[in-house]
Amino acid sequence: CEFGISVADTMHGQGLATLLMQKIIHYAASIGYQSMTAEILVENHAMLKLAEKQQFTLTISQENHHLYCATRQLHTKENNKT
């Protein structure tokens, strides 16, 4: 599942992106996605920090060195059965 989050400048610093990220992670897992990915600009320090806090792995994009690739494995109900 690929995702993106955008929050209006006037709403920054209120935890809205964190809440949205947690909701997206939970929903994606609940419908069976096994992983999530996103591309994040290297200068978007707030999103990089949020991704790390939400247990995403960050690597520099091989196609564009101005982007990080963020990846997170999800724990789905099906994965928990084994």
Side-chain angles (χ1 to χ4, degrees), residues 7-25:
V7 176
D9 290 343
T10 57
M11 300 298 291
H12 285 190
Q14 298 184 39
L16 186 56
T18 300
L19 178 63
L20 289 170
M21 177 79 83
Q22 291 169 347
K23 295 284 187 183
I24 292 168
I25 291 167

Side-chain angles (χ1 to χ4, degrees), residues 1-4 36-40 47 56 58 68-71:
C1 150
E2 188 172 341
F3 72 97
M36 292 178 60
T37 61
E39 293 180 331
I40 305 170
M47 187 61 189
F56 281 80
L58 300 173
Y68 274 98
C69 293
T71 306

Side-chain angles (χ1 to χ4, degrees), residues 54-73:
Q54 296 299 318
Q55 301 172 342
F56 281 80
T57 300
L58 300 173
T59 56
I60 292 287
S61 170
Q62 293 181 3
E63 294 86 29
N64 183 339
H65 295 287
H66 298 285
L67 294 174
Y68 274 98
C69 293
T71 306
R72 177 187 163 147
Q73 297 302 308

